[in-house]
Amino acid sequence: MTASTTVRLDVPRDDPFGIHNLPYGVYSLPGRDPRVGTRYGEHVVDLATLLGDEVFAGPSLNPFMAQGHDRWVQVRAAIAAALNGDVPRQAVHSAADVTLHLPFEVADYVDFYASEHHAANLGRLFRPDNPDPLMPNWKHLPVGYHGRSASVVVSGTDIIRPCGQRKGPNDPAPVFGPSVRLDIEAELGFVVGTGNTLGEPVAAGRAEQHLFGVVLFNDWSARDIQAWEYVPLGPNLGKSFASTVSPWVVPLLALTEAKVRTPVQEPEVLPYLALDEPWGLDIDLEVEWNGQVVSRPPYAAMYWSPAQMLAHLTVNGAPTRTGDLFASGTVSGPAKEQRGAFIELTWGGAEPVTVAGQQRTFLEDGDEVVLRATAPGAGGARIGFGEARGRVVAARQGREV
Amino acid sequence: MTASTTVRLDVPRDDPFGIHNLPYGVYSLPGRDPRVGTRYGEHVVDLATLLGDEVFAGPSLNPFMAQGHDRWVQVRAAIAAALNGDVPRQAVHSAADVTLHLPFEVADYVDFYASEHHAANLGRLFRPDNPDPLMPNWKHLPVGYHGRSASVVVSGTDIIRPCGQRKGPNDPAPVFGPSVRLDIEAELGFVVGTGNTLGEPVAAGRAEQHLFGVVLFNDWSARDIQAWEYVPLGPNLGKSFASTVSPWVVPLLALTEAKVRTPVQEPEVLPYLALDEPWGLDIDLEVEWNGQVVSRPPYAAMYWSPAQMLAHLTVNGAPTRTGDLFASGTVSGPAKEQRGAFIELTWGGAEPVTVAGQQRTFLEDGDEVVLRATAPGAGGARIGFGEARGRVVAARQGREV
């Protein structure tokens, strides 16, 4: 190639989107169809063009993810090699010029509840008379429930305040209207690249073969709707209106340096949940509310690991598929400023926090929340996750189809 | 056409698959790709051939369903007209010669809990000290939860006994193994043909525009796994191993004669759940266990109607999509022999029933359960739903991938 058709990309090795990260996403240019790209520094690099592989020419990561773990390893090496050399100029776009899309088609979505600090805080808030804030099953299995795949949206999508039923403990009857206790949950989401067949569980030690990558995940939650509806079958409308994911899927292959032991699991877990190697993740999250960082939840404090979540999800023979997404549940650490949901941070609204000079409890219309995270990468680099951003807009009433 | 290339199909008007039914399914012949057909008497008629419409040439109803309500009306009339005339012989197969497949791609799946008799029976079994067997929210909203789409299987698929954690109230710790309280739930499933956009709820009075059809649904349930896991976020592994649907989707357009008022809803529902016209369904179900009918659950006794379920599902702005499936929850009537789950029929296992000469409570390996149903059709006909059949096979242990 001549100099005019190629370009050398000079990205510092410690850039959050440096050579040790190489996340996958789906981008588009104005008037063009979405395609798969990687983020490299401030560049978005088209992978079909870079690698000459048509699996990246479409609007979803699913076809590539379905090719399996060996291909993920090969392609990652090929991208790194290509980015270290002359890159076709037409493959390179400025991150500022592209629109980012939901990076994969979500198959089944499950939300876990894997932070002991979060579960215990909610237990203290909702069941103050119980001597143990955790439910009896909590340390024996990663508790989780299925949620709505259709309302998983990409960062930047406005969050319409949901309407629904709520009933306070002293209200004579439920009322209908916009949620008045709209909250966030700062989580990580894990993306299944290749699933398992019905009847064939994924052993915890084999999770690495199935898990493709990690996204930021904001499980927006209407606490008033949830509190009234959730007995006895769990959350539904209080959660199903929207969940925000970050546009860049960080490969699990980029997170080998982030692997740490989970906290000690005592009582000992059943054999199908036991792990020979560390599967905790030393990922530091950050919750920004109207421009101010209000919490820094440490993922390393999570009790249950994603490998255990996947083993549990499938131990009854349930199948998973390419594009399955399971989220961790709220990431909360032991300290108050490490709590990943406002219901915990403000202790059920009783202890407002100061946000940009105002005393605040739950979300108001116009509020914007941004999740960010970093993890240790190879050679002392930090791996960036980009952001999961959402702005709350006023409820729509009387608009029905 | 000459006599040798067409055929007249002589099906009695009161056949359960007569001219007033015309359900949609996906069938295949040996060595051929699956295609959309209708069932007419003992025939399966290929719709792409009958109507010359390629939307039916594929392995799923989704493309046709996505075309919307007006098309559903037109195509139904066109099929009826075509079947009353000369039918291309190559479009006609014997039902005995075809394999039936899952008729649609399941998008999001939600299970409701819409029978007052079922909810009250479970309340009495699980919370005997409560004066009211229903939860406080139960008469104010159709309680439901999301389930696993990937494990929705077509009638005839073997049901592998799931393994999982269980812990009896007096056990010191949970144990792992095959479920020992494997049960059924006889339900109807409602298939969304065209969805709603995020932020735009479906009004209850507009449900007819979105709902395509009805299937039989067996929500196989491992009661021991469910009892241990479900607090506080609802059922997960106790349900996610398999749900069986019947292969023929009966169009809602075939069920106009089956519309009846739901039982009186008192207290009055909130306006978004109010309906001007009857949306109950007079559908008689039948549960066969090892060849013996053990229960006849009446769908007409269901408290919440499918129109209310869809309005509730979307009232917070959650989107639905073509292929969304929501099930009613166990259909149980007021009488013992109308209970649609064995946990109710045997009162938690305390009152065994006689099945083929044996005293039985929960499912044993080798047991087979078949759900069937009929509804009133036009001109005094009965509309048949076919069957949802499943046989329990032994748990697989030690098979992990």
Side-chain angles (χ1 to χ4, degrees):
Chain A
M1 290 187 187
T2 68
S4 63
T5 61
T6 66
V7 62
R8 299 290 289 216
L9 301 178
D10 188 22
V11 174
R13 294 182 77 78
D14 61 353
D15 188 285
F17 290 111
I19 201 73
H20 300 299
N21 190 344
L22 303 180
Y24 296 92
V26 172
Y27 79 97
S28 66
L29 295 167
R32 304 279 287 277
D33 289 334
R35 294 161 65 93
V36 175
T38 189
R39 174 84 183 255
Y40 187 46
E42 290 305 308
H43 313 290
V44 171
V45 181
D46 186 274
L47 288 179
T49 308
L50 184 75
L51 303 178
D53 188 334
E54 287 299 302
V55 78
F56 300 111
S60 159
L61 290 178
N62 291 49
F64 170 56
M65 293 197 296
Q67 293 180 338
H69 185 265
D70 289 354
R71 271 281 290 168
W72 310 338
V73 172
Q74 290 164 8
V75 166
R76 182 169 167 78
I79 295 171
L83 291 178
N84 275 325
D86 293 326
V87 176
R89 191 179 292 274
Q90 64 182 24
V92 181
H93 312 289
S94 166
D97 294 341
V98 307
T99 300
L100 296 172
H101 302 271
L102 191 65
F104 56 98
E105 297 152 55
V106 184
D108 277 302
Y109 153 55
V110 168
D111 194 33
F112 283 95
Y113 192 52
S115 162
E116 180 175 0
H117 306 291
H118 172 69
N121 281 336
L122 290 199
R124 288 183 196 106
L125 276 167
F126 294 142
R127 298 176 296 273
D129 299 334
N130 274 27
D132 186 347
L134 295 178
M135 289 292 184
N137 58 14
W138 198 90
K139 290 205 163 182
H140 294 280
L141 58 88
V143 169
Y145 65 98
H146 286 74
R148 179 152 282 261
S149 301
S151 48
V152 175
V153 298
V154 72
S155 178
T157 306
D158 281 347
I159 304 303
I160 304 164
R161 181 180 296 274
C163 291
Q165 289 194 32
R166 63 175 183 274
K167 182 178 174 297
N170 302 318
D171 292 342
V175 297
F176 181 83
S179 170
V180 297
R181 285 164 72 92
L182 185 58
D183 196 359
I184 66 150
E185 298 198 339
E187 312 191 4
L188 292 182
F190 302 96
V191 185
V192 172
T194 53
N196 62 301
T197 305
L198 192 149
E200 308 279 352
V202 176
R206 296 276 297 167
E208 191 95 32
Q209 296 293 313
H210 294 270
L211 289 178
F212 178 77
V214 183
V215 289
L216 297 165
F217 192 84
N218 188 344
D219 177 26
W220 306 88
S221 299
R223 300 298 180 191
D224 42 356
I225 296 172
Q226 183 185 350
W228 171 232
E229 75 177 356
Y230 91 106
V231 176
L233 299 181
N236 185 0
L237 279 288
K239 304 276 196 172
S240 66
F241 55 96
S243 312
T244 301
V245 297
S246 53
W248 294 110
V249 181
V250 175
L252 205 61
L253 294 166
L255 295 171
T256 50
E257 306 290 319
K259 292 278 186 73
V260 291
R261 296 210 166 272
T262 54
V264 172
Q265 296 184 327
E266 176 59 42
E268 193 177 355
V269 297
L270 283 162
Y272 80 92
L273 292 170
L275 284 164
D276 292 332
E277 29 182 340
W279 250 103
L281 292 167
D282 180 21
I283 299 175
D284 293 329
L285 281 77
E286 170 183 299
V287 180
E288 185 188 283
W289 187 355
N290 292 346
Q292 178 182 329
V293 174
V294 294
S295 176
R296 297 185 186 278
Y299 198 86
M302 297 296 273
Y303 193 87
W304 294 105
S305 69
Q308 292 173 310
M309 296 177 204
L310 183 60
H312 185 65
L313 263 189
T314 60
V315 74
N316 66 347
T320 57
R321 293 172 290 184
T322 297
D324 265 30
L325 171 66
F326 60 91
S328 60
T330 305
V331 183
S332 287
K336 178 166 180 172
E337 63 275 13
Q338 295 178 321
R339 295 174 187 163
F342 297 157
I343 194 170
E344 288 174 82
L345 194 64
T346 69
W347 210 245
E351 302 174 9
V353 292
T354 304
V355 179
Q358 296 185 310
Q359 293 288 95
R360 301 296 298 280
T361 53
F362 292 98
L363 288 162
E364 298 183 4
D365 291 347
D367 279 4
E368 189 169 56
V369 174
V370 185
L371 308 183
R372 295 189 185 86
T374 62
R382 295 297 290 178
I383 302 288
F385 285 74
E387 58 183 39
R389 177 184 295 266
R391 192 171 62 91
V392 177
V393 300
R396 295 179 183 174
Q397 285 180 288
R399 293 188 58 172
E400 297 185 325
V401 295
Chain B
M1 290 185 185
T2 66
S4 64
T5 61
T6 66
V7 61
R8 298 290 289 216
L9 300 178
D10 187 23
V11 174
R13 295 182 76 78
D14 62 351
D15 189 284
F17 290 111
I19 201 73
H20 300 299
N21 189 346
L22 303 181
Y24 296 92
V26 172
Y27 78 96
S28 67
L29 295 167
R32 303 280 285 279
D33 287 336
R35 294 162 67 94
V36 175
T38 189
R39 173 84 183 257
Y40 187 46
E42 289 304 310
H43 312 290
V44 171
V45 181
D46 186 273
L47 288 180
T49 307
L50 184 73
L51 303 178
D53 188 335
E54 287 299 301
V55 77
F56 299 111
S60 159
L61 291 177
N62 291 49
F64 170 56
M65 294 197 296
Q67 293 181 338
H69 185 266
D70 290 353
R71 272 281 290 167
W72 310 339
V73 173
Q74 290 164 9
V75 166
R76 181 169 168 76
I79 296 170
L83 292 178
N84 275 324
D86 293 326
V87 176
R89 191 179 293 274
Q90 65 182 22
V92 181
H93 311 290
S94 166
D97 293 341
V98 306
T99 299
L100 296 171
H101 303 269
L102 192 66
F104 56 98
E105 297 152 51
V106 184
D108 278 302
Y109 154 56
V110 169
D111 195 31
F112 283 95
Y113 192 52
S115 162
E116 180 175 0
H117 306 291
H118 172 68
N121 281 335
L122 290 199
R124 289 184 195 105
L125 277 167
F126 294 142
R127 299 176 296 276
D129 299 334
N130 274 26
D132 187 347
L134 295 178
M135 289 292 185
N137 58 13
W138 198 89
K139 290 206 164 182
H140 295 281
L141 57 88
V143 169
Y145 65 98
H146 286 74
R148 180 153 281 261
S149 301
S151 47
V152 175
V153 298
V154 73
S155 177
T157 307
D158 281 347
I159 303 303
I160 304 164
R161 182 180 296 274
C163 291
Q165 289 194 30
R166 63 175 184 272
K167 179 178 175 298
N170 302 317
D171 292 342
V175 296
F176 181 83
S179 170
V180 295
R181 286 164 72 91
L182 185 58
D183 195 358
I184 66 150
E185 297 198 339
E187 311 191 4
L188 291 182
F190 302 97
V191 185
V192 173
T194 53
N196 62 302
T197 306
L198 192 148
E200 308 278 352
V202 177
R206 296 275 298 167
E208 192 94 34
Q209 296 293 314
H210 295 269
L211 288 179
F212 178 77
V214 183
V215 289
L216 297 165
F217 191 84
N218 188 344
D219 176 27
W220 306 88
S221 299
R223 301 299 179 190
D224 43 356
I225 296 172
Q226 183 185 350
W228 170 233
E229 75 178 352
Y230 90 108
V231 175
L233 299 181
N236 186 1
L237 279 287
K239 303 275 197 173
S240 67
F241 55 96
S243 313
T244 300
V245 297
S246 52
W248 295 110
V249 182
V250 174
L252 205 61
L253 293 167
L255 295 171
T256 50
E257 306 289 320
K259 292 278 187 71
V260 290
R261 296 211 165 273
T262 54
V264 173
Q265 296 185 327
E266 175 59 41
E268 193 177 356
V269 297
L270 283 162
Y272 80 92
L273 292 171
L275 284 164
D276 293 332
E277 33 184 337
W279 251 102
L281 291 168
D282 181 22
I283 299 175
D284 294 328
L285 281 77
E286 170 183 299
V287 180
E288 184 187 284
W289 186 356
N290 292 347
Q292 178 182 330
V293 174
V294 294
S295 176
R296 298 186 187 277
Y299 198 85
M302 297 295 273
Y303 193 87
W304 294 106
S305 69
Q308 292 173 311
M309 296 177 203
L310 183 59
H312 184 66
L313 264 189
T314 61
V315 73
N316 66 347
T320 57
R321 293 172 291 183
T322 296
D324 265 32
L325 171 65
F326 60 91
S328 59
T330 304
V331 183
S332 287
K336 178 165 181 172
E337 63 275 14
Q338 295 178 320
R339 295 174 187 162
F342 297 157
I343 193 170
E344 288 174 82
L345 194 63
T346 67
W347 210 247
E351 302 174 9
V353 292
T354 305
V355 178
Q358 295 186 311
Q359 293 290 95
R360 300 297 298 280
T361 53
F362 293 98
L363 288 162
E364 298 182 6
D365 291 349
D367 280 4
E368 187 168 57
V369 174
V370 185
L371 308 183
R372 296 189 184 86
T374 62
R382 294 297 290 179
I383 302 287
F385 285 73
E387 58 182 40
R389 177 185 294 266
R391 192 171 63 92
V392 177
V393 301
R396 296 180 185 175
Q397 284 180 287
R399 294 187 58 173
E400 295 184 327
V401 293

